[in-house]
Amino acid sequence: MPIEEVESTAEDIEEMEIRGAATIAAAAAEALGAQAAASDAPDPDAFEAEMRRAATELYETRPTAVSLPNALRFVLQGMEGKTVEAKRESIRSAGRRFRNDLETAQERLGRIGANRLRDGDVIMTHCHSTDALATVEHAVSDGKHIEAFVKETRPRNQGQITASQLRDMGVPVTMIVDSAAHRYLNDVDHVLVGADSIAADGSVINKIGTSGLAVNARDRGTPIVVAAQTLKLHPGTLTGHTVEIEMRAETEVISADDRADIGEITVENPAFDVTPPRHIDAIITERGQFPPESIVSLMRELYGDMDEEPWTDPE
Ligand code: RUB
């Protein structure tokens, strides 16, 4: 039961060639579909075991963005039929449905989020979020003039991807280093970020630096808006689990040579942080805009009674 189809996707997610919560989810769903298509499992049980192993391989790549397990669950739970052929087809079609739903959700979310943005507004962004950019794209296509301060987002500089995509939309961009955010927040109408996971209490887990930005925004009285489709709701937090924060390589922060020059130091590189609900004004989803404290009811409605990890072996 080789699982070659998912192995390269898993590697790309781990290496961040594929990155960002929604993009990771779409790629994982596609990889499961490709694995199902290529499978030469001799019988239905072997096929199911192969799918579970493929999902586990993908699941173990990055721990923080819940869109990944949510995608895997959606596709695996779509598996039905008694023969290998039937199971194969159902996985492939669940994968297609998942990616289609994701696109539709982002489109809806974008339309809803665009209503918050007025002609002439200035936003500040952190990292690169396709959900957040969908709201700007809709606002711009509605004819609104939007300008942006884009934080570079050390250590991986995902702000450059945001800057480039905003420029493609015709949005004037001012790039700033992360520590300049407070200085410019008086000139900003909305801080607009995405999310990797949203916890049941309305906390938002997003790229490291989001929580500091939110505190600064509160200090300046600038609203902080999170654009996150419901795929980012973390069902495990309904039952008391916490969201694991990914720690990444120290070499993303400082090169081995520079570090050796300095001498004995400790380097920490958490990829994400947690912004408490009191620092967030609104969460925009494809189901509408929510105050963070009320997101739990939507989470119960959508994920209330699910099997948390269908990829674990039932035996
Ligand atoms: C990406 C990141 C993004 C969210 C939302 O982190 O924190 O803000 O994933 O993105 P990384 P999207 O670069 O480490 O994956 O809205 O595209 O799902």
Side-chain angles (χ1 to χ4, degrees):
M1 288 189 296
I3 51 166
E4 283 143 11
E5 299 298 324
V6 301
E7 270 164 7
S8 67
T9 302
E11 203 177 299
D12 285 349
I13 294 173
E14 228 157 44
E15 299 299 321
M16 289 178 66
E17 294 295 323
I18 296 172
R19 50 148 299 280
T23 311
I24 289 171
E30 188 171 359
L32 277 186
Q35 186 62 44
S39 173
D40 57 3
D43 58 64
D45 283 351
F47 180 83
E48 280 194 18
E50 182 177 326
M51 285 301 118
R52 280 200 299 274
R53 202 153 67 81
T56 304
E57 171 105 12
L58 292 160
Y59 174 67
E60 286 172 350
T61 52
R62 293 191 78 190
T64 304
V66 74
S67 51
L68 173 58
N70 284 348
L72 299 173
R73 190 180 309 109
F74 183 97
V75 176
L76 283 195
Q77 287 178 343
M79 179 159 56
E80 57 191 20
K82 290 194 166 37
T83 62
V84 169
E85 252 348 283
K87 286 181 189 295
R88 188 197 316 279
E89 250 337 286
S90 60
I91 287 273
R92 295 185 68 194
S93 103
R96 284 193 295 270
R97 219 165 44 243
F98 177 82
R99 283 180 290 131
N100 199 37
D101 288 356
L102 190 148
E103 258 176 49
T104 311
Q106 196 165 73
E107 162 76 20
R108 279 203 191 120
L109 172 160
R111 241 183 291 134
I112 294 167
N115 292 332
R116 271 194 89 100
L117 303 175
R118 292 152 307 181
D119 189 27
D121 273 357
V122 179
I123 58 165
M124 184 179 283
T125 65
H126 184 63
C127 197
H128 167 254
S129 156
T130 55
D131 281 350
L133 288 185
T135 70
V136 183
E137 194 169 10
H138 275 273
V140 169
S141 68
D142 290 346
K144 296 174 189 169
H145 178 80
I146 307 291
E147 296 192 13
F149 282 93
V150 171
K151 291 176 77 228
E152 76 182 331
T153 318
R154 281 266 296 146
R156 305 278 303 209
N157 294 317
Q158 290 98 327
Q160 292 179 13
I161 310 170
T162 301
S164 153
Q165 294 187 356
L166 286 171
R167 282 309 301 140
D168 288 347
M169 294 176 205
V171 171
V173 167
T174 304
M175 172 81 79
I176 56 171
V177 297
D178 295 313
S179 36
H182 193 255
R183 178 189 167 97
Y184 290 102
L185 275 167
N186 273 352
D187 305 328
V188 166
D189 300 293
H190 316 265
V191 168
L192 179 60
V193 296
D196 288 84
S197 282
I198 295 178
D201 69 347
S203 297
V204 168
I205 295 89
N206 191 47
K207 180 55 54 184
I208 189 79
T210 305
S211 63
L213 176 61
V215 170
N216 278 335
R218 268 285 173 273
D219 179 56
R220 292 294 207 198
T222 310
I224 174 144
V225 176
V226 177
Q229 48 182 298
T230 55
L231 182 62
K232 318 291 179 60
L233 300 180
H234 197 302
T237 59
L238 281 172
T239 49
H241 292 95
T242 51
V243 180
E244 183 182 340
I245 300 294
E246 177 182 9
M247 301 299 288
R248 293 194 59 87
E250 297 165 8
T251 47
E252 286 186 347
V253 177
I254 185 166
S255 72
D257 286 351
D258 286 348
R259 189 173 176 174
D261 286 347
I262 294 169
E264 187 68 21
I265 54 165
T266 303
V267 178
E268 293 267 309
N269 185 18
F272 301 98
D273 64 20
V274 182
T275 304
R278 67 180 184 281
H279 289 151
I280 296 160
D281 290 275
I283 297 176
I284 297 166
T285 76
E286 75 279 15
R287 299 284 197 112
Q289 175 179 296
F290 293 80
E293 293 82 2
S294 75
I295 206 77
V296 64
S297 27
L298 184 61
M299 198 181 285
R300 282 219 178 85
E301 181 192 327
L302 296 174
Y303 296 101
D305 50 353
M306 40 131 244
D307 174 6
E308 281 185 21
E309 296 189 350
W311 47 88
T312 50
D313 204 324
E315 269 101 63

